[in-house]
Amino acid sequence: MLVTVNFLKVTSFMPDLITWTYPIAGRGKLRAVGRILGGAALACVLVGPMRVVAAPLLRCQIDQGGTTRMLEFAPVTEPYLVKALDINGRFRFKAVVIGDAQHVDYIKLYSYSQTRRQPVLLHVAKYMAPVALRQAPFDALTGYQYLYSPQLEREMQYGCALIEVGP
Protein backbone atom coordinates (compact mmCIF):
# COMPACT_ATOMS: atom_id res chain seq x y z
CA MET A 1 0.00 0.00 0.00
CA LEU A 2 1.24 3.49 -0.89
CA VAL A 3 0.15 6.65 0.87
CA THR A 4 0.62 9.95 -0.98
CA VAL A 5 0.49 13.30 0.80
CA ASN A 6 0.18 16.48 -1.31
CA PHE A 7 0.29 20.07 -0.15
CA LEU A 8 0.67 23.43 -1.84
CA LYS A 9 3.46 25.78 -0.78
CA VAL A 10 3.08 29.36 -2.01
CA THR A 11 6.05 31.70 -1.84
CA SER A 12 6.35 35.00 -3.71
CA PHE A 13 3.57 34.28 -6.22
CA MET A 14 5.00 30.90 -7.26
CA PRO A 15 2.97 27.92 -6.00
CA ASP A 16 4.82 24.65 -5.54
CA LEU A 17 3.06 21.32 -5.21
CA ILE A 18 4.99 19.13 -2.84
CA THR A 19 4.28 15.39 -2.93
CA TRP A 20 5.46 12.73 -0.52
CA THR A 21 4.82 9.04 -1.17
CA TYR A 22 5.33 6.42 1.52
CA PRO A 23 5.16 2.64 1.09
CA ILE A 24 3.33 0.88 3.92
CA ALA A 25 3.41 -2.87 4.39
CA GLY A 26 2.33 -5.34 7.04
CA ARG A 27 0.31 -4.75 10.18
CA GLY A 28 -0.34 -1.39 11.73
CA LYS A 29 -1.26 0.29 8.45
CA LEU A 30 -3.68 2.65 10.18
CA ARG A 31 -1.04 3.65 12.73
CA ALA A 32 1.48 4.24 9.93
CA VAL A 33 -0.98 6.43 8.03
CA GLY A 34 -1.54 8.44 11.21
CA ARG A 35 2.21 8.95 11.60
CA ILE A 36 2.53 10.08 7.98
CA LEU A 37 -0.31 12.55 8.28
CA GLY A 38 1.09 13.83 11.57
CA GLY A 39 4.47 14.26 9.88
CA ALA A 40 2.83 16.13 7.01
CA ALA A 41 1.10 18.45 9.48
CA LEU A 42 4.43 19.04 11.25
CA ALA A 43 6.06 19.78 7.89
CA CYS A 44 3.34 22.33 7.16
CA VAL A 45 4.11 24.08 10.44
CA LEU A 46 7.85 24.02 9.76
CA VAL A 47 7.56 25.18 6.14
CA GLY A 48 5.48 28.18 7.12
CA PRO A 49 1.99 29.50 6.52
CA MET A 50 0.34 28.40 3.32
CA ARG A 51 -2.36 30.02 1.26
CA VAL A 52 -4.93 28.24 -0.80
CA VAL A 53 -4.67 29.64 -4.31
CA ALA A 54 -7.97 30.31 -6.04
CA ALA A 55 -7.74 30.54 -9.82
CA PRO A 56 -9.99 32.84 -11.87
CA LEU A 57 -12.34 31.21 -14.37
CA LEU A 58 -14.81 32.83 -16.75
CA ARG A 59 -18.11 30.92 -16.78
CA CYS A 60 -20.65 31.82 -19.47
CA GLN A 61 -24.23 30.65 -19.97
CA ILE A 62 -25.29 30.82 -23.62
CA ASP A 63 -28.91 30.36 -24.72
CA GLN A 64 -29.74 29.88 -28.39
CA GLY A 65 -32.56 28.05 -30.17
CA GLY A 66 -33.95 26.50 -26.99
CA THR A 67 -30.54 25.11 -25.97
CA THR A 68 -28.54 26.31 -22.96
CA ARG A 69 -24.79 25.72 -22.72
CA MET A 70 -22.41 26.46 -19.85
CA LEU A 71 -18.89 27.19 -21.07
CA GLU A 72 -15.77 27.82 -19.00
CA PHE A 73 -12.69 29.75 -20.08
CA ALA A 74 -9.36 29.81 -18.24
CA PRO A 75 -6.83 32.65 -18.51
CA VAL A 76 -4.36 32.52 -21.40
CA THR A 77 -1.35 34.62 -22.32
CA GLU A 78 -1.75 34.51 -26.10
CA PRO A 79 -5.09 35.89 -27.36
CA TYR A 80 -4.59 34.87 -30.99
CA LEU A 81 -4.67 31.15 -30.16
CA VAL A 82 -8.23 31.26 -28.78
CA LYS A 83 -10.80 29.83 -31.21
CA ALA A 84 -14.43 30.87 -31.58
CA LEU A 85 -16.91 28.15 -30.58
CA ASP A 86 -19.87 27.15 -32.73
CA ILE A 87 -23.29 27.77 -31.18
CA ASN A 88 -25.91 25.59 -32.95
CA GLY A 89 -24.46 26.36 -36.39
CA ARG A 90 -25.99 29.85 -36.23
CA PHE A 91 -23.62 31.86 -34.03
CA ARG A 92 -20.01 31.76 -32.87
CA PHE A 93 -18.74 32.88 -29.45
CA LYS A 94 -15.18 33.60 -28.37
CA ALA A 95 -14.02 34.55 -24.89
CA VAL A 96 -10.44 35.74 -24.51
CA VAL A 97 -9.34 35.87 -20.86
CA ILE A 98 -5.86 37.38 -20.63
CA GLY A 99 -3.96 36.82 -17.39
CA ASP A 100 -2.53 34.07 -15.24
CA ALA A 101 -3.56 31.80 -12.38
CA GLN A 102 -3.75 34.69 -9.88
CA HIS A 103 -4.94 37.71 -11.86
CA VAL A 104 -6.94 38.59 -14.99
CA ASP A 105 -5.71 41.63 -16.94
CA TYR A 106 -8.71 41.87 -19.25
CA ILE A 107 -11.52 39.89 -20.89
CA LYS A 108 -12.75 40.35 -24.45
CA LEU A 109 -15.95 38.66 -25.63
CA TYR A 110 -16.71 38.29 -29.34
CA SER A 111 -20.05 37.22 -30.81
CA TYR A 112 -20.48 36.38 -34.48
CA SER A 113 -23.39 35.51 -36.75
CA GLN A 114 -22.59 32.42 -38.82
CA THR A 115 -23.37 33.02 -42.51
CA ARG A 116 -22.85 30.68 -45.46
CA ARG A 117 -19.64 32.41 -46.45
CA GLN A 118 -18.03 33.46 -43.17
CA PRO A 119 -18.75 34.59 -39.61
CA VAL A 120 -19.89 38.22 -39.29
CA LEU A 121 -18.92 40.12 -36.14
CA LEU A 122 -22.00 41.26 -34.19
CA HIS A 123 -20.67 42.36 -30.83
CA VAL A 124 -17.41 42.93 -28.93
CA ALA A 125 -17.22 43.64 -25.21
CA LYS A 126 -14.06 44.41 -23.21
CA TYR A 127 -13.72 44.30 -19.43
CA MET A 128 -10.52 45.75 -17.94
CA ALA A 129 -9.06 44.15 -14.78
CA PRO A 130 -12.26 42.43 -13.63
CA VAL A 131 -12.42 41.02 -10.12
CA ALA A 132 -13.14 37.33 -9.64
CA LEU A 133 -15.89 36.58 -7.12
CA ARG A 134 -16.22 33.51 -4.94
CA GLN A 135 -19.98 33.24 -5.49
CA ALA A 136 -21.72 35.15 -8.24
CA PRO A 137 -24.81 34.88 -10.42
CA PHE A 138 -24.13 33.57 -13.92
CA ASP A 139 -24.27 37.08 -15.45
CA ALA A 140 -22.41 39.05 -12.76
CA LEU A 141 -19.75 40.39 -15.14
CA THR A 142 -21.69 41.06 -18.35
CA GLY A 143 -25.34 41.27 -17.44
CA TYR A 144 -27.68 39.29 -19.67
CA GLN A 145 -26.93 40.17 -23.30
CA TYR A 146 -29.31 39.73 -26.27
CA LEU A 147 -27.87 39.46 -29.78
CA TYR A 148 -29.73 39.18 -33.08
CA SER A 149 -28.40 37.91 -36.40
CA PRO A 150 -29.24 39.76 -39.60
CA GLN A 151 -30.68 36.57 -41.16
CA LEU A 152 -34.03 35.15 -40.11
CA GLU A 153 -34.15 37.14 -36.86
CA ARG A 154 -32.21 34.54 -34.88
CA GLU A 155 -31.43 35.36 -31.27
CA MET A 156 -28.65 34.39 -28.87
CA GLN A 157 -28.45 35.40 -25.21
CA TYR A 158 -25.46 35.10 -22.92
CA GLY A 159 -24.27 36.08 -19.50
CA CYS A 160 -20.81 35.61 -17.99
CA ALA A 161 -19.29 35.79 -14.52
CA LEU A 162 -15.64 35.71 -13.44
CA ILE A 163 -15.44 33.32 -10.53
CA GLU A 164 -12.73 32.00 -8.22
CA VAL A 165 -12.17 28.27 -8.40
CA GLY A 166 -10.32 26.80 -5.44
CA PRO A 167 -8.12 23.71 -5.54
Side-chain angles (χ1 to χ4, degrees), residues 97-165:
V97 182
I98 299 296
D100 56 29
Q102 287 82 30
H103 175 73
V104 172
D105 296 324
Y106 69 89
I107 296 172
K108 283 185 96 172
L109 303 175
Y110 301 86
S111 300
Y112 303 87
S113 174
Q114 183 65 50
T115 64
R116 288 184 204 153
R117 293 178 56 191
Q118 65 187 18
V120 175
L121 183 63
L122 292 176
H123 182 255
V124 177
K126 185 172 184 179
Y127 303 90
M128 296 299 296
V131 177
L133 303 173
R134 175 81 49 202
Q135 292 182 358
F138 75 93
D139 60 351
L141 178 66
T142 63
Y144 201 58
Q145 302 295 314
Y146 294 82
L147 301 170
Y148 300 93
S149 75
Q151 297 96 16
L152 302 174
E153 300 178 6
R154 293 181 176 150
E155 179 184 51
M156 178 178 81
Q157 303 105 32
Y158 75 87
C160 298
L162 187 62
I163 59 171
E164 289 181 346
V165 178

Side-chain angles (χ1 to χ4, degrees), residues 77-89:
T77 56
E78 185 56 50
Y80 300 108
L81 298 177
V82 178
K83 303 285 186 207
L85 302 173
D86 179 63
I87 308 296
N88 295 337

Side-chain angles (χ1 to χ4, degrees), residues 50-84:
M50 292 181 209
R51 296 182 314 214
V52 175
V53 178
L57 183 72
L58 182 68
R59 183 173 290 154
C60 296
Q61 176 180 313
I62 300 174
D63 298 316
Q64 201 287 312
T67 304
T68 301
R69 294 173 64 178
M70 290 296 279
L71 303 173
E72 295 182 341
F73 305 93
V76 297
T77 56
E78 185 56 50
Y80 300 108
L81 298 177
V82 178
K83 303 285 186 207

